Amino acid sequence: MAKTTPLEFIRQVQAETKKVVWPTRRETLMTGLMVVIMATLLGVFFFVIDTTFETIVHLLLTLAK
């Protein structure tokens, strides 16, 4: 494997950086909004599941007494 000089490495990095397709402002905002919505939905879902299991366990423990 051939070794590259630091200058050649920097040129290669610049060439690869020019190939990157950056998202538009709208795409970034929509993606961020979707992340917030999904995180909220998952938070509510797990809260409901946790509360349901807590109620079932509490009910079972009161029946065991």
Side-chain angles (χ1 to χ4, degrees):
M1 190 163 148
K3 294 192 176 200
T4 58
T5 64
L7 186 60
E8 183 61 30
F9 176 75
I10 291 172
R11 286 186 190 135
Q12 289 175 358
V13 169
Q14 287 174 341
E16 290 298 320
T17 304
K18 290 178 184 177
K19 295 179 187 177
V20 174
V21 179
W22 298 100
T24 63
R25 181 178 180 85
R26 187 177 195 294
E27 289 172 335
T28 304
L29 290 174
M30 292 302 291
T31 303
L33 180 63
M34 289 306 294
V35 168
V36 170
I37 290 170
M38 290 305 295
T40 302
L41 289 175
L42 283 171
V44 170
F45 172 76
F46 285 119
F47 175 77
V48 169
I49 296 297
D50 184 54
T51 304
T52 303
F53 284 149
E54 179 186 9
T55 303
I56 291 170
V57 169
H58 185 25
L59 177 65
L60 290 173
L61 289 175
T62 55
L63 289 176
K65 287 185 180 180

